């Protein structure tokens, strides 16, 4: 043990760096260099304290961190021992098991911040988020006595948040008691749970085309038969829609009622009335996804405002507050709400009360509303600038001007969106080709642009460079 004592006694401390961190760093290096060999027993805590001239609590903290790094193991009644995993001989690189087609690579690149520009993503840039307000809400939540660290929380979700959501929903005409508002970890989880409750394998489901790409994947996992109905910046052709209802008898129609992704269309009062009338006549349920509704400039009616017998409403904060917040909710009929509560319990879907309390604080103190007003104005201004440079590039806008997060742009003749997206990945520019969102024959004539990320001279410059090549 003399050799170990010599190595430990040789540790020198520098001012300005925590003692615990210096001990961990220097002992880690000694273990990796072999100065403290694998299996060597370390001196007792009291002796370590004397050798390094530090307090025993400092030694205990350092040993805890070394254990967490897998460099030290403790044996009951025996002490602490060096543990260095044996090195393995180099092997061939492990195969990449992820799909390598362009669309799959684009989806992964959209989610990962690797320094690339991401005009094809679906969320706000970090610089647009209310960082200081969020940090205040986090700090306030951690200090609050209402944070129950040792509890799961209420199955339906943090009740004060649901009360704040009830008030928020009333501003768009949806009047419901708190018991019919159920929180979920994210909007896609809410939709997935509704799929479990509303469809069975072989059922037919109607989807807008284009639409969020994960819906097709998720419905396939549930064994549903998917029929797409064309939707553009003017909405649906409701006569064609009715003919599809007669031909296919769907049990469910899933749609964005406001700021449709990616065309930006919102249903008018007449279209809402007609859709509700059709849902009652043909007996299908509507899942109303209102994830982008808070970014709307001109208010339009929600389907759920007319009642929840044939409509379930889903929304959340991942696109408006922070992509990492993952707080969403469903507004359901009493019967469906009870079933979802049971489903949440059976699948371990109880949500994080910590995240819900933070969101509740943002809603209750007015900082969320202030952030939304500022964001809507910025989106309108950015949309105009992005539309201008897209026009310079020869693209035409096929979405509602100035509304929402996206521009759905038709490429100049002869250009193929997936080919551009593939080239973009090689140039650190992540584009969203139309085929990622649409099953239509001409899908690869379109790209979806996130105006908040695209209002950037670097995005414009790289996109023009792609077109030139």
């Amino acid at each position: 043990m003399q050799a170990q004592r010599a190595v430990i006694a040789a540790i020198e401390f520098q001012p300005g760096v925590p003692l615990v961190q210096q001990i961990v760093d220097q002992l880690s290096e000694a273990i990796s260099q072999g100065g403290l060999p694998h299996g060597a027993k370390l001196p007792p805590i009291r002796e370590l304290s004397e050798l390094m001239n530090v307090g025993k609590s400092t030694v205990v903290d350092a040993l805890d961190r070394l254990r967490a790094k897998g460099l030290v193991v403790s044996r009951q009644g025996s002490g602490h021992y060096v543990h260095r995993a044996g090195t393995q001989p180099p092997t061939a690189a492990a195969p990449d098991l992820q799909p390598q087609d362009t669309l799959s690579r684009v989806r992964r690149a959209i989610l990962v911040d690797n320094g690339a520009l991401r005009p094809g993503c679906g969320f706000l840039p970090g610089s647009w988020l209310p960082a200081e307000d969020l940090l205040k809400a986090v700090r306030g939540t951690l200090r609050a006595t209402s944070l129950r660290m040792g509890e799961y929380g209420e199955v339906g979700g943090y009740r004060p948040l649901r009360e704040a959501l009830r008030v928020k929903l009333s501003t768009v005409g949806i009047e419901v008691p708190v018991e019919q508002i159920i929180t979920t970890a994210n909007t896609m989880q809410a939709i997935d749970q509704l799929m479990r409750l509303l469809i069975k394998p072989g059922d037919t489901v109607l989807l807008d085309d284009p639409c969020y790409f994960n819906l097709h994947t998720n419905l396939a996992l549930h064994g549903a038969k998917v029929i797409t109905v064309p939707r553009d910046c003017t909405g649906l052709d409701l006569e064609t829609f009715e003919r599809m209802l007669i031909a296919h008898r769907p049990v469910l129609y899933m749609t964005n009622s406001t700021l449709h992704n990616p065309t930006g269309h919102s249903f008018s009062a007449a279209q809402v009335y007609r859709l509700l009338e059709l849902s009652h006549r043909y007996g299908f349920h509507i899942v109303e996804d209102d994830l982008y509704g808070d970014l709307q400039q001109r208010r339009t009616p929600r389907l759920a405002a007319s009642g929840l017998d044939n409509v379930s409403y889903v929304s959340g904060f991942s696109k408006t507050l922070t992509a990492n917040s993952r707080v969403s909710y469903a507004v359901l009929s009493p019967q469906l709400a009870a079933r979802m509560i049971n489903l949440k319990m059976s699948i371990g879907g109880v949500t994080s009360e910590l995240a819900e309390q933070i969101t509740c604080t943002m809603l209750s103190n007015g900082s969320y509303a202030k952030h939304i007003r500022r964001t809507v104005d910025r989106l309108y201004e950015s949309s105009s600038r992005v539309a201008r440079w897209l026009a310079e590039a020869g693209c035409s806008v096929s979405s509602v001007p100035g509304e929402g997060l996206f521009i759905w742009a038709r490429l100049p003749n002869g250009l193929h969106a997936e080919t551009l997206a593939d080239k973009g990945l090689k140039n650190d520019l992540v584009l969203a080709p139309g085929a990622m969102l649409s099953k239509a024959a001409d899908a690869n004539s379109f790209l979806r642009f996130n105006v908040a990320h695209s209002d950037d001279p670097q995005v414009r410059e790289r996109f023009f460079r792609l077109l030139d090549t």
Side-chain angles (χ1 to χ4, degrees):
M1 190 178 286
Q2 285 302 117
Q4 288 89 277
R5 289 191 178 96
V7 169
I8 294 164
I11 290 178
E12 295 182 0
F13 296 112
Q14 302 299 322
V17 181
L19 292 177
V20 171
Q21 188 59 54
Q22 293 190 64
I23 294 170
V24 170
D25 291 344
Q26 294 191 52
L27 290 184
S28 296
E29 184 177 358
I31 292 170
S32 66
Q33 298 298 324
L36 292 174
H38 175 74
K41 184 177 181 180
L42 296 176
I45 290 174
R46 179 180 296 175
E47 188 175 346
L48 287 171
S49 172
E50 293 171 353
L51 285 169
M52 293 183 284
N53 195 27
V54 297
K56 285 190 287 186
S57 62
T58 301
V59 173
V60 171
D61 285 349
L63 290 172
D64 285 343
R65 295 192 192 186
L66 288 166
R67 261 199 306 271
K69 294 176 69 172
L71 296 176
V72 165
V73 294
S74 56
R75 298 175 188 165
Q76 187 72 29
S78 179
H80 294 84
Y81 294 81
V82 174
H83 177 82
R84 187 166 71 125
T87 57
Q88 295 183 354
T91 58
D96 188 345
L97 302 180
Q98 297 290 334
Q100 295 303 312
D101 60 285
T102 298
L103 295 182
S104 296
R105 290 187 292 117
V106 164
R107 289 175 190 143
R108 294 197 293 273
I110 280 174
L111 297 175
V112 178
D113 183 8
N114 62 359
L117 299 171
R118 293 182 286 177
C121 75
F123 43 84
L124 293 173
S127 60
W128 284 47
L129 301 179
E132 189 56 41
D133 288 331
L134 274 167
L135 286 173
K136 285 180 182 177
V138 170
R139 288 193 290 264
T141 299
L142 292 174
R143 287 195 299 265
T145 57
S146 57
L147 183 59
R148 302 174 298 172
M149 299 295 286
E151 302 292 332
Y152 280 109
E154 192 172 340
V155 178
Y158 181 54
R159 195 170 184 86
L161 171 62
R162 294 157 74 196
E163 177 59 35
L165 291 172
R166 185 193 66 77
V167 174
K168 181 177 183 294
L169 289 162
S170 69
T171 65
V172 291
I174 303 174
E175 302 284 353
V176 290
V178 167
E179 289 72 20
Q180 290 174 236
I181 304 171
I182 312 297
T183 64
T184 60
N186 55 69
T187 308
M188 200 63 228
Q189 186 191 72
I191 290 172
D192 178 73
Q193 290 182 13
L194 283 170
M195 289 178 189
R196 298 185 190 209
L197 298 174
L198 295 171
I199 65 174
K200 59 183 184 298
D203 282 346
T204 298
V205 176
L206 279 184
L207 288 182
D208 295 329
D209 188 285
C211 72
Y212 181 49
F213 55 82
N214 272 356
L215 294 177
H216 284 278
T217 304
N218 204 296
L219 283 165
L221 292 174
H222 288 280
K225 177 184 177 183
V226 176
I227 303 294
T228 58
V229 52
R231 182 170 176 182
D232 58 23
C233 62
T234 63
L236 302 171
D237 180 338
L238 288 170
E239 299 306 317
T240 299
F241 185 78
E242 183 172 9
R243 287 195 291 272
M244 296 177 77
L245 295 175
I246 295 169
H248 300 287
R249 293 293 176 177
V251 300
L252 193 65
Y253 169 48
M254 304 180 67
T255 188
N256 293 127
S257 56
T258 58
L259 298 184
H260 169 247
N261 176 13
T263 70
H265 172 263
S266 301
F267 290 130
S268 67
Q271 290 168 329
V272 164
Y273 177 84
R274 179 80 169 126
L275 279 170
L276 292 171
E277 187 270 328
L278 289 171
S279 74
H280 283 89
R281 187 192 310 176
Y282 292 100
F284 64 92
H285 196 88
I286 301 174
V287 172
E288 179 179 19
D289 179 356
D290 196 22
L291 187 56
Y292 300 96
D294 285 350
L295 300 175
Q296 191 179 31
Q297 272 202 325
R298 296 165 293 178
R299 287 296 179 189
T300 54
R302 275 31 173 203
L303 292 156
S306 297
L308 296 165
D309 290 342
N310 279 49
V311 180
S312 295
Y313 178 94
V314 173
S315 189
F317 299 94
S318 60
K319 307 302 182 185
T320 54
L321 191 53
T322 160
N324 227 336
S325 69
R326 318 312 288 165
V327 173
S328 296
Y329 58 97
V331 185
L332 312 170
S333 68
Q335 297 79 10
L336 203 51
R339 293 176 63 197
M340 183 174 275
I341 287 285
N342 287 331
L343 179 60
K344 279 185 71 173
M345 292 177 66
S346 64
I347 64 173
V350 178
T351 46
S352 165
E353 194 169 288
L354 173 60
E356 291 178 359
Q357 287 199 31
I358 293 167
T359 304
C360 182
T361 298
M362 296 287 290
L363 288 173
S364 302
N365 67 14
S367 56
Y368 178 74
K370 181 178 67 175
H371 160 63
I372 288 298
R373 288 193 298 270
R374 185 169 56 243
T375 301
V376 168
D377 290 342
R378 290 184 72 177
L379 285 174
Y380 184 81
E381 294 169 3
S382 290
S383 184
S384 300
R385 288 190 288 265
V386 175
R388 279 198 297 272
W389 71 250
L390 284 173
E392 292 172 21
C395 300
S396 57
V397 173
S398 298
S399 51
V400 179
E403 277 280 56
L405 193 57
F406 302 119
I407 288 178
W408 185 235
R410 181 181 284 276
L411 292 167
N413 288 337
L415 292 180
H416 188 269
E418 275 192 68
T419 302
L420 275 181
D422 187 59
K423 291 180 179 177
L425 289 174
K426 297 168 186 172
N427 290 275
D428 289 333
L429 185 69
V430 184
L431 300 169
M436 192 169 74
L437 300 142
S438 172
K439 302 293 184 182
D442 65 344
N444 269 313
S445 299
F446 293 88
L447 284 172
R448 186 192 74 178
F449 288 87
N450 180 323
V451 298
H453 283 266
S454 302
D455 190 14
D456 180 337
Q458 291 186 74
V459 171
R460 180 187 183 280
E461 178 189 346
R462 290 191 200 180
F463 184 68
F464 273 75
R465 200 185 309 154
L466 277 185
L467 297 185
D468 288 341
T469 59

